Amino acid sequence: MQKRLVSISVPIGLTSVAVGLSVALLVAWTLVMVTQLNIGGRTWLLVVGIVSLAVIIMVLVLSAVLLVREVLEGRRQTGFIDSVTHELKSPLASLKLCLETLDRPALSDEQRRALREMMHDDVDRLSVFIDDVLNASQLASSRQRLEKVTLSVEHAIYRAVQQVCARRRTPRERISVVATNDLTLCTDPTALEIILTNLLDNAIKYSAEGAPVCVVAEQTPQGITRIEVRDQGIGIATHHLKEIFKRFFRVDREEVHARHGTGLGLFVAAGMARRLGGTLKAASPGPGRGSVMRIELPARLRPQPASSAAQVPTKE
Ligand code: ADP
């Protein structure tokens, strides 16, 4: 269940009003002093007063901004811990129940097969979750080393499609791939695989059952490799198109909370894309109208420092 959090717009509003009033007072008092009082040779005193007050106002505004950032980060961390607890507990509880049920002698072969399939799904869910957490932490601590391999983009896409279809138990025909077989890329294959599987997994997860997903790969006239993962799913509101790349961020919508997730997948994918010297961006005509995730990578790997890769998507 979603926790209702106290809105921070009230303290933000009050701080803005207080800052506005202070600036208005500063201006008014200065005018009164200059026009009504005879300050003579003590103008420097007025200047010192104005500068000091301006500095105090700036410090207050800066403190308020930092405080709001901390509160938002704290909220994201709390959301993450809730998701982590849920992501670990529910597959484990389900595995335990399946194992207990499997012990019953009266089960038919069909029932045993269904139980094993459920256990398989739970183990997959746990391993995807652990991979996301590990990738996010590696990204933040520059432990991950990059390889340079020339690979076929079409081949890399097909491998990711195969993995995601097996994991999500969805027919391979659901995902169409449009790519020329001569399109190659010199990059890190593991990082590319992490990006593609994350995007494909989301495209399937945030679409209705059986809805088609399409992957289009092409080379731009500038020699950039562009791969788009297009779905016809729940879509994304314009004001969330950048936020979804932040660590732990999940859109606060019923359709999103109804699906498992931690808000780490896109943070990892965008960080990886930056490490490879490229970008990952999202586009959507709006909620309920599908989404497009666009990766752009240079033809030859241009590694970026892990720190910048990990930090950029977390910016407020
Ligand atoms: P999660 O584990 O929640 O899926 P991600 O980092 O992969 O985390 O995605 C962050 C959020 O972005 C999701 O919670 C969801 O709200 C939104 N999102 C990601 N991909 C899609 C998509 N293809 N369609 C609609 N919303 C998406």
Side-chain angles (χ1 to χ4, degrees):
M1 189 192 276
Q2 274 282 96
K3 274 186 208 151
R4 280 277 144 239
L5 295 167
V6 181
S7 166
I8 52 167
S9 50
V10 175
I12 293 177
L14 286 176
T15 312
S16 313
V17 171
V19 168
L21 275 176
S22 311
V23 173
L25 264 176
L26 178 65
V27 174
W29 274 109
T30 312
L31 285 177
V32 168
M33 283 168 93
V34 171
T35 54
Q36 309 290 319
L37 304 176
N38 182 14
I39 51 172
R42 282 167 294 165
T43 318
W44 64 270
L45 208 62
L46 187 65
V47 174
V48 169
I50 292 171
V51 172
S52 314
L53 214 71
V55 169
I56 291 171
I57 292 172
M58 269 164 60
V59 169
L60 284 178
V61 170
L62 212 72
S63 310
V65 169
L66 290 177
L67 220 72
V68 168
R69 280 189 169 201
E70 280 304 305
V71 170
L72 292 177
E73 179 62 25
R75 284 187 177 183
R76 279 209 294 273
Q77 304 260 1
T78 313
F80 174 67
I81 291 168
D82 287 350
S83 305
V84 166
T85 316
H86 182 72
E87 286 298 296
L88 287 175
K89 274 177 101 175
S90 55
L92 284 177
S94 159
L95 278 170
K96 192 168 169 229
L97 193 72
C98 288
L99 280 171
E100 284 167 4
T101 318
L102 270 178
D103 280 344
R104 289 189 199 153
L107 286 181
S108 68
D109 282 353
E110 182 56 28
Q111 285 169 321
R112 282 182 195 282
R113 200 185 55 77
L115 280 170
R116 278 200 202 95
E117 238 169 55
M118 271 174 73
M119 289 170 72
H120 214 280
D121 285 349
D122 289 327
V123 171
D124 277 352
R125 193 174 144 194
L126 276 173
S127 85
V128 167
F129 168 68
I130 290 166
D131 280 351
D132 271 354
V133 174
L134 288 178
N135 286 330
S137 98
Q138 280 183 347
L139 208 58
S141 66
S142 27
R143 264 182 275 143
Q144 183 203 31
R145 304 236 326 260
L146 294 176
E147 274 183 281
K148 255 188 199 177
V149 175
T150 301
L151 49 84
S152 149
V153 174
E154 191 189 22
H155 192 236
I157 294 172
Y158 276 120
R159 268 175 59 103
V161 168
Q162 217 165 16
Q163 267 190 47
V164 173
C165 287
R167 188 197 299 159
R168 290 259 161 211
R169 289 184 200 289
T170 197
R172 165 67 198 78
E173 301 71 51
R174 194 177 157 187
I175 305 179
S176 54
V177 178
V178 183
T180 47
N181 54 11
D182 56 352
L183 189 57
T184 59
L185 197 56
C186 177
T187 196
D188 181 284
T190 314
L192 183 63
E193 187 177 304
I194 291 171
I195 300 172
L196 290 172
T197 48
N198 258 310
L199 300 186
L200 284 166
D201 197 65
N202 277 350
I204 300 277
K205 180 163 75 170
Y206 294 111
S207 297
E209 191 147 353
V213 169
C214 178
V215 188
V216 180
E218 60 185 358
Q219 193 163 41
T220 66
Q222 294 78 27
I224 301 286
T225 301
R226 180 182 295 153
I227 307 172
E228 287 189 352
V229 177
R230 303 174 185 168
D231 68 58
Q232 299 174 11
I234 64 167
I236 305 164
T238 313
H239 62 282
H240 283 141
L241 288 175
K242 285 207 170 108
E243 280 193 300
I244 55 174
F245 296 104
K246 291 177 185 170
R247 211 168 13 148
F248 313 141
F249 184 87
R250 301 200 80 208
V251 173
D252 194 5
R253 274 169 68 188
E254 219 175 296
E255 297 98 313
V256 174
H257 293 298
R259 290 145 162 114
H260 300 300
T262 53
L264 273 177
L266 285 185
F267 167 73
V268 168
M272 293 279 178
R274 280 191 60 83
R275 280 218 69 196
L276 300 180
T279 56
L280 170 60
K281 288 184 181 150
S284 169
R289 299 171 65 196
S291 320
V292 178
M293 295 289 163
R294 182 178 302 124
I295 320 154
E296 290 194 340
L297 295 172
R300 283 192 72 77
L301 173 70
R302 283 200 303 262
Q304 300 295 311
S307 53
S308 70
Q311 275 160 17
V312 167
T314 67
K315 275 187 185 162
E316 298 300 333

